[in-house]
Amino acid sequence: MHLFYQPNFSELSALIDDEAFHAAKVLRLREGEAVRVTDGQGSWYDAVVQSSTPKRCDLKVVQQTVQTPRNYRIEVALAPTKNMDRIEWFVEKATEIGIDTISFFYTKHSERRNMKLERLHKIAVSAMKQSLQAFLPQIREVGDFGKYIPMVNTTQRFIAHLPEDKIPAHLLKKAGPAQNYTVVIGPEGDFTEAEIQLTQAHGFEMVTLGNTRLRTETAALVACQTLHLVNIISQP
């Protein structure tokens, strides 16, 4: 069955814009054909095509299925890499695994200070549909690291950092199940000492993601998967 994403679908009962064009011009869907739509907010809609044009594809909903959200939420915040391909890879894979929020901040050592959020949104939509999920992650640019950190109010906050003098506990051991998490990942030039102190002043715990030095996007994906494992392990 063909899968589509349409925000506010409960109000529209139709595909519009790119999704309508894809339905009409690429897939050449006609009246009576079955499709499935997600609104990215937890609902799947089984529907039948009523009419199809490149600008609007009207649908009749046959059944709505609500996907139960997880009892925990994951935000990974990171300094974007100079190479956008690596950020796009992370967004795709994190969406497939399952993530609620991806935030981009800028530090003293940041390699990039502008983002193409529209393209990242499209990559996340494609990954959401490919992995048969009904929740689309929020992707946002939060700006200066120093202004972002004081605004974080999740129940468990971590900074992934591997200091030379003392190795902190692994994220797998520090994170508890059924929490709302934020993990911040620094640029490849690492956080400054002042940035590290800022996070600790606002309740962030220092953790490691392993004994090897990871690229920014690799560390971000490891953090995401580790938090899922914390909750899987805790299940009876």
Side-chain angles (χ1 to χ4, degrees):
M1 186 179 294
H2 299 296
L3 304 177
F4 296 91
Y5 162 68
Q6 183 61 62
N8 303 317
F9 181 76
S10 60
E11 301 172 12
L12 295 170
S13 294
L15 304 176
I16 59 175
D17 302 326
D18 290 346
E19 294 290 75
F21 184 87
H22 186 71
K25 287 295 188 179
V26 179
L27 299 176
R28 299 185 182 280
L29 296 183
R30 296 292 181 262
E31 182 180 351
E33 294 193 64
V35 299
R36 173 168 276 197
V37 183
T38 180
D39 59 6
Q41 299 296 315
S43 291
W44 284 108
Y45 300 86
D46 292 319
V48 175
V49 175
Q50 301 295 288
S51 62
S52 181
T53 72
K55 292 186 177 181
R56 184 181 178 95
C57 178
D58 286 301
L59 304 174
K60 179 181 179 181
V61 176
V62 176
Q63 180 178 345
Q64 177 184 0
T65 304
V66 178
Q67 184 172 313
T68 303
R70 299 186 300 269
N71 64 346
Y72 60 96
R73 294 181 63 83
I74 298 174
E75 175 188 13
V76 174
L78 65 158
T81 59
K82 185 177 181 180
N83 187 337
M84 274 301 296
D85 288 347
R86 288 158 54 187
I87 290 298
E88 292 172 2
W89 175 87
F90 164 68
V91 168
E92 179 183 67
K93 302 311 174 189
T95 301
E96 290 178 13
I97 292 172
I99 193 167
D100 299 286
T101 305
I102 300 172
S103 301
F104 296 103
F105 56 71
Y106 306 115
T107 67
K108 182 178 180 179
H109 295 155
S110 287
E111 300 174 289
R112 172 182 288 275
R113 294 185 178 275
N114 60 81
M115 297 297 297
K116 298 177 181 178
L117 295 185
E118 183 178 352
R119 175 167 171 76
L120 294 180
H121 173 79
K122 290 181 178 180
I123 290 170
V125 167
S126 178
M128 174 188 66
K129 293 191 293 185
Q130 189 278 331
S131 54
L132 301 180
Q133 297 185 73
F135 291 97
L136 182 68
Q138 179 186 16
I139 302 176
R140 59 182 188 163
E141 193 174 10
V142 295
D144 181 72
F145 185 72
K147 294 179 180 179
Y148 162 70
I149 290 299
M151 297 173 60
V152 178
N153 59 5
T154 44
T155 53
Q156 290 201 323
R157 286 156 267 173
F158 304 100
I159 174 172
H161 181 64
L162 191 60
E164 296 181 0
D165 55 343
K166 183 180 179 181
I167 299 177
H170 196 284
L171 177 61
L172 187 65
K173 295 182 178 180
K174 295 292 287 186
Q179 302 289 326
N180 293 336
Y181 313 98
T182 296
V183 182
V184 296
I185 309 291
E188 295 196 346
D190 211 346
F191 292 110
T192 66
E193 185 58 35
E195 289 164 349
I196 293 171
Q197 291 176 3
L198 176 67
T199 62
Q200 294 177 324
H202 287 86
F204 283 74
E205 295 184 77
M206 188 180 296
V207 294
T208 181
L209 298 172
N211 296 325
T212 59
R213 185 172 63 181
L214 303 177
R215 290 183 180 272
T216 297
E217 73 280 8
T218 308
L221 192 63
V222 169
C224 179
Q225 177 64 1
T226 298
L227 292 172
H228 282 297
L229 289 175
V230 167
N231 287 274
I232 291 170
I233 292 171
S234 69
Q235 295 175 359

